[in-house]
């Protein structure tokens, strides 16, 4: 398993996940930068992701849905607020309705992803900031941690493939 730790901090209103991979930073960066690779791991195996829109640039937008085993679709969106290749990605994200429009009742979160070189290996830290303890608690109760663990569990096989740049 690639996930080495998770931490829920109700005072800082954050959830942090740390994973390590047997691949260099540039290769791990590509699983974020390439939408074909991203949608192979973003959703858990039982809820695979499909990206309708993916603009991997500062100010870019993403729209996606995950399809459950019974065909149910859970939609989401991102707005990329910072990119520092190949080390940092920050995006605001949230749930979307069937038209892809944000669902305000669910609020927004801000995710910050950092990639750190460990001498040929990469440590990826994903920190999600929430607007309230209630939102953090709701997301954790909805299975955020388990879903991220399962999604990231698919990354090693993807990284092992010889994917052209």
């Amino acid at each position: 398993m690639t996930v080495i730790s998770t931490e829920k901090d109700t005072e800082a209103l954050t959830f942090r996940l740390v994973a390590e991979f047997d691949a260099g930073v540039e290769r791990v960066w590509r699983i974020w930068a390439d939408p074909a690779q991203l949608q192979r791991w973003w959703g858990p195996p039982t809820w695979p992701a499909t990206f309708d829109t993916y603009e991997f640039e500062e100010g870019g937008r993403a729209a996606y849905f995950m399809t459950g085993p019974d065909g149910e679709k859970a939609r989401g969106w991102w707005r990329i607020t910072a990119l520092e290749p190949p080390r940092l990605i920050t995006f605001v994200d949230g749930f979307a309705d069937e038209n892809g429009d944000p669902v305000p009742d669910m609020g927004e979160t801000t995710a910050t992803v950092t990639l750190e070189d460990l001498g040929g290996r990469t440590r990826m830290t994903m920190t999600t900031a929430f607007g309230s303890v209630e939102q953090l608690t709701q997301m954790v109760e909805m299975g955020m941690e388990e879903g991220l663990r399962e999604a990231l569990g698919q990354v090693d096989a993807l990284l092992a493939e010889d994917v052209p740049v």
Side-chain angles (χ1 to χ4, degrees):
M1 177 53 79
T2 56
V3 175
I4 60 171
S5 70
T6 59
E7 176 189 10
K8 180 175 81 168
D9 185 336
T10 55
E11 286 187 27
L13 299 178
T14 59
F15 176 83
R16 177 174 301 126
L17 179 144
V18 179
E20 291 184 1
F21 303 101
D22 288 325
V25 168
E26 293 282 347
R27 177 65 185 99
V28 176
W29 179 261
R30 289 196 330 255
I31 70 168
W32 286 95
D34 178 0
Q37 292 181 60
L38 179 63
Q39 69 182 13
R40 288 185 54 199
W41 71 268
W42 181 249
T46 57
W47 283 82
T50 302
F51 280 78
D52 294 320
T53 303
Y54 194 61
E55 302 163 346
F56 194 65
E57 59 192 33
E58 206 162 304
R61 298 176 35 84
Y64 68 93
F65 60 90
M66 294 186 295
T67 306
D70 61 356
E72 176 187 359
K73 289 189 177 7
R75 297 186 180 276
W77 59 270
W78 296 352
R79 186 177 63 254
I80 299 172
T81 56
L83 283 179
E84 295 176 16
R87 306 266 184 226
L88 173 77
I89 307 160
T90 302
F91 56 94
V92 177
D93 72 326
F95 291 92
D97 63 20
E98 62 278 351
N99 298 316
D101 296 321
V103 177
D105 295 350
M106 296 298 288
E108 298 177 349
T109 62
T110 299
T112 301
V113 179
T114 59
L115 303 179
E116 177 186 354
D117 181 12
L118 301 177
R121 292 176 44 82
T122 300
R123 175 175 294 144
M124 180 170 67
T125 302
M126 298 176 66
T127 304
T128 303
F130 297 86
S132 67
V133 171
E134 294 78 21
Q135 183 190 32
L136 169 58
T137 301
Q138 179 183 24
M139 292 296 292
V140 170
E141 287 174 356
M142 290 174 65
M144 178 181 180
E145 180 177 354
E146 295 82 6
L148 281 171
R149 282 181 177 276
E150 289 177 14
L152 288 166
Q154 303 170 105
V155 170
D156 286 332
L158 179 60
L159 292 173
E161 295 176 7
D162 186 20
V163 179
V165 178

